[in-house]
Each structure stands twice: as structure tokens, then as C-alpha cells.
Amino acid sequence: MKRRNFLKGSAVLAGATVSGQLAANGTPLNSEKEIYEWRVYHFKNGGQKNKVGRFYQEALIPAMNENGVRVGAFGEYGLTDPPTVYYLLVYPSMAEYSRVKKAVWKNESFLKQATNYFEDTAESGTYSRFETYLLEAFDAIPQLRQPDEGRGLFELRTYESNNEEACQRKINMFNKEELALFDQVGLHATFFGEILAGPQMPALVYMLWFKDMEEREANWKRFVSSPEWKTMSQKPEYAHTVSVVNKEFLIPFDYSQI
């Protein structure tokens, strides 16, 4: 019963809290929420990875930029083999996501630049597979925050929940309280998104950036030892919201726009 009452009032409470957070963070109020496309490419060897990298640099990223879409490109922290590569495509809105998806395949410059890649890989292939996640930005951070140029490490976290209602309560926890605490202790947010479609559901995804692993370790320690977190984590409305936490550490490629 307490949980039902909490959910009924959550929209009003979140709205009031989010407005204050957005103003404090310098994020424009009433901004349309961005849509994120997160792609995970799996390869058998590094040569295949390089072919896809050239395709993005020479053809897809320029075409996306023409349509107002930024692209982040990341590799794994460490020398993992076979390699996995990650791309983040940032769309201004759901309407733009739909428009750009169609516009790219009518872009003559893109098709010309991509011809060699398409012809070369149609028969022999490149990646063994790639996964796509479609995400909607959180109310409290409706637009991606561009990291500092000194960013050297990204942490990608996926929080799975046992059901949809639990996932919504965790999202509300971030919107109302947790994201503000992240800002205070130096857990630098890049984006937060709810998975609308993808292999892991129900779940949310967020990305943080740091200068290095040392900063990451120090700032997470500040977070877990803070009285605000200890109080927040004991609230009954946030009980049993996360069942699995997945963590991945990434580094940006030279051509990454994020």
C-alpha cells in the first residue's frame, strides 16, 4: 500500500524536484528529452574492428553530424581480445530519431563514402554481431552533458530490475535525489537513459566520466560513505529496485565526439 501511494504522488514530487536540479546544473528547463542509440559491436579480430571504425569516421559520423546527431566511439579499458567496440548516437528527440534513420539512406554523400565498405563486407562480413539499445533520457538530465577534454575513462552502468515498476522507482530515485548527489561527490554524469528497447529489460543505463581510475575510486568512495546516500538507500520507496548491476569501463577513441 505504501508503494502504491508513493507511485501516485511521484509525478508531482519528481516534477518539483527536477526543476530545481536542472536550474542548479545549468541544464535548460523544459528541454525535450534526447534519444540515445547505444550500439555494441562484437568482433573476431582487430582487423574487422578497424574496418568498422573507418566506416564510422569516413561515412556514418559525417552523415549523422549533417543531421544534428553526435556520435561517441569507445573501446574497452584494457587489452580485451576479441575486441568489443561501443558507439553512442545522440538524437535530439524521438521524432528526429525516426527522421534521421530514413534520411541517412537518402544521403548521396554517405552512400558514396560507404560504397567500398558495403561492397567489401557484404560477402565476407566484419562484426560477428552487434546489439542495439534504444534509450530515452531521464527527466533530470534531458540532454547529454559533454565531458571535459581531459576525460580518460568512462564507466557504463546497467541496472536491471525484477519488474517494470521497480525500474520506474529506481529512475525516480535518480531524478529526485541520487543524480544531485552524484554531482556533489564528483561522479560526472554523461547521460542517463531508460531502455525502451534492447536485450536487457527492464533496465536503465548511465555513463560517467573520470580523468582516470584513481579519480573514479576516490569519488565512488565519497558517494557510498556520504550520509545522504545512507539515508536515501534506506527509504522504503526505493527498496528492491535493482536486481543486477553491470559495469563496463571504456576509453574514448580519438574520433569520439563525446
Side-chain angles (χ1 to χ4, degrees):
M1 182 62 68
K2 288 183 179 179
R3 188 171 296 172
R4 291 195 187 98
N5 292 337
F6 161 73
L7 289 172
K8 288 179 182 178
S10 62
V12 175
L13 291 172
T17 307
V18 165
S19 295
Q21 288 176 344
L22 294 181
N25 293 334
T27 307
L29 296 175
N30 302 319
S31 300
E32 190 164 9
K33 292 192 289 185
E34 291 178 330
I35 295 296
Y36 307 121
E37 184 180 0
W38 182 254
R39 298 182 180 182
V40 184
Y41 286 79
H42 301 272
F43 299 93
K44 294 181 180 179
N45 58 62
Q48 293 177 324
K49 179 191 74 173
N50 294 336
K51 286 184 179 181
V52 171
R54 287 194 296 271
F55 163 67
Y56 268 81
Q57 292 178 73
E58 297 171 4
L60 188 58
I61 291 178
M64 286 293 172
N65 290 168
E66 286 181 20
N67 285 279
V69 177
R70 284 178 292 165
V71 180
F74 312 91
E76 293 176 299
Y77 179 77
L79 301 176
T80 304
D81 190 38
T84 303
V85 173
Y86 305 78
Y87 290 97
L88 175 65
L89 286 73
V90 182
Y91 300 86
S93 66
M94 183 63 80
E96 280 298 285
Y97 168 79
S98 180
R99 183 192 69 79
V100 173
K101 280 291 188 180
K102 298 175 182 178
V104 166
W105 293 103
K106 297 178 182 179
N107 185 318
E108 294 183 3
S109 177
F110 164 72
L111 295 174
K112 181 179 179 180
Q113 290 294 329
T115 295
N116 290 338
Y117 170 78
F118 290 144
E119 291 180 348
D120 179 47
T121 61
E123 182 177 354
S124 60
T126 47
Y127 45 84
S128 55
R129 61 189 170 90
F130 81 83
E131 304 158 11
T132 297
Y133 298 79
L134 190 65
L135 316 171
E136 182 182 55
F138 282 13
D139 290 341
I141 179 170
Q143 296 177 340
L144 181 144
R145 297 178 185 172
Q146 186 67 24
D148 289 351
E149 291 184 3
R151 85 277 191 261
L153 177 72
F154 287 89
E155 181 173 0
L156 184 77
R157 288 196 169 208
T158 304
Y159 287 2
E160 301 177 25
S161 301
N162 283 330
N163 61 42
E164 296 87 340
E165 184 264 357
C167 185
Q168 291 303 311
R169 285 189 290 114
K170 183 59 183 177
I171 291 171
N172 197 65
M173 182 179 182
F174 273 116
N175 280 330
K176 288 178 61 181
E177 302 183 66
E178 197 169 352
L179 229 168
L181 181 56
F182 272 33
D183 290 339
Q184 291 176 27
V185 300
L187 298 177
H188 313 299
T190 304
F191 75 86
F192 277 70
E194 176 184 0
I195 299 180
L196 303 179
Q200 293 170 282
M201 294 185 72
L204 62 89
V205 177
Y206 67 89
M207 178 182 271
L208 309 174
W209 69 266
F210 304 96
K211 291 182 294 185
D212 49 37
M213 187 62 77
E214 288 73 21
E215 183 190 23
R216 184 257 177 198
E217 295 293 334
N219 292 356
W220 269 114
K221 185 176 181 180
R222 290 176 61 194
F223 175 82
V224 298
S225 62
S226 67
E228 293 90 346
W229 170 244
K230 292 177 180 178
T231 298
M232 188 190 316
S233 62
Q234 296 302 313
K235 292 185 177 181
E237 59 263 43
Y238 303 141
H240 310 299
T241 54
V242 178
S243 57
V244 178
V245 175
N246 301 288
K247 292 181 286 186
E248 296 173 272
F249 297 99
L250 310 175
I251 55 175
F253 290 141
D254 291 340
Y255 60 93
S256 178
Q257 299 176 333
I258 294 167

